[in-house]
Amino acid sequence: MEAQPIIVFQKHIDTVAALGRWQIEDLEIAIYLRRLHMAADELTGRGFAARVVPMPGEPDKGTVHVFNMVLVGPPAGAESELAEWADLAQCRRLIDIVANMPPAEAFDRWAQGLPLPEPYTQWDARRDAEGFIKDAHQAYAGGKINGQTLGTEIRAARSFADAVEPADRNAHLRTIPQLAAEWGVSIRRAQAHVKYLHAKHGVGRKLGNAWVLTDVEAVDHKPADGPGRPHNE
């Protein structure tokens, strides 16, 4: 197949001709960030609450810190109530999906196809559990929760850490969309069930914006078939 020439403006070639390696990499990052902002703007225009999240930078060094992902919130009517992080490819996938269906339906379908998180080990779980317990004690000291809720939070954190087996280096957490697909229920019901499990039994945990169960918890606490109260009450 004959190679096809690309069309590029000479002024852009001249702009980067004198740049060194690190300057080019910085420019590539800035271009990627601009693409993220453009994707977030398009998603916002289609009914989603999408934004690139900034972090404190270092003004004296002329730097700006931002996440290299877009936080996409569900539109009105979606079963999922939780925002999801998306890279540029996932943003484009959602844009393609919403072109063929209403935003709420598109978000739910898109969320079910998001990739699994990175392997989550017992070390990760114990580190996070320590943070959860510290946050719970601070909330109690500040009068935001009572003693009963403090106890529930501590039990949940310890149970969460113990549920990740040390020998299983590839243990994954189950997010709400994944649990819904695994249990054969709606995202809304899966979300309500996990919140119930946490409030009633201290099972599960909220990581950032996402409620999650471990593999073991997902099997042991599957919701009852049909209407009614959950199993393991």
Side-chain angles (χ1 to χ4, degrees):
M1 183 177 180
E2 184 179 355
Q4 298 296 317
I6 60 174
I7 299 174
V8 60
F9 287 103
Q10 182 64 43
K11 63 179 181 180
H12 298 322
I13 296 177
D14 295 339
T15 298
V16 301
L19 296 181
R21 172 186 173 185
W22 303 116
Q23 291 173 312
I24 289 176
E25 290 190 1
D26 288 343
L27 181 59
E28 289 174 339
I29 293 172
I31 291 172
Y32 183 83
L33 180 60
R34 176 58 185 150
R35 293 188 187 278
L36 283 179
H37 278 284
M38 293 171 67
D41 289 344
E42 182 166 356
L43 288 170
T44 299
R46 293 176 178 266
F48 303 96
R51 62 193 179 98
V52 179
V53 181
M55 298 175 63
E58 299 171 284
D60 58 321
K61 297 181 180 179
T63 60
V64 177
H65 297 172
V66 295
F67 288 110
N68 61 342
M69 302 184 82
V70 175
L71 186 63
V72 184
E79 289 191 342
S80 176
E81 299 175 359
L82 302 175
E84 299 282 359
W85 289 103
D87 59 17
L88 187 58
Q90 290 295 342
C91 286
R92 288 171 172 166
R93 188 172 72 87
L94 178 55
I95 290 171
D96 289 341
I97 294 174
V98 77
N100 299 301
M101 62 185 64
E105 183 180 349
F107 185 88
D108 290 331
R109 177 172 297 188
W110 171 77
Q112 291 181 25
L114 291 176
L116 289 169
E118 291 297 316
Y120 195 82
T121 66
Q122 189 182 59
W123 184 90
D124 296 317
R126 294 198 181 283
R127 176 204 60 200
D128 287 339
E130 291 175 0
F132 299 147
I133 292 173
K134 180 180 178 180
D135 290 344
H137 277 291
Q138 289 178 342
Y140 176 71
K144 296 180 179 179
I145 60 175
N146 58 30
Q148 181 178 355
T149 302
L150 172 63
T152 298
E153 291 294 315
I154 293 174
R155 288 194 302 274
R158 290 172 177 168
S159 172
F160 183 79
D162 292 341
V164 180
E165 295 294 334
D168 186 1
R169 301 300 295 176
N170 292 314
H172 279 97
L173 302 177
R174 295 288 187 266
T175 63
I176 294 297
Q178 293 160 358
L179 289 168
E182 186 174 321
W183 291 338
V185 300
S186 68
I187 292 177
R188 191 183 302 276
R189 184 176 181 193
Q191 187 166 259
H193 183 63
V194 172
K195 288 181 178 180
Y196 167 82
L197 290 173
H198 180 73
K200 184 72 173 180
H201 305 290
V203 172
R205 189 72 248 176
K206 191 175 184 181
L207 296 180
N209 290 311
W211 282 98
V212 295
L213 297 182
T214 63
D215 293 340
V216 174
E217 290 171 338
V219 173
D220 291 346
H221 298 278
K222 181 179 179 180
D225 297 329
R229 300 181 69 81
H231 287 311
N232 303 309
E233 288 191 280

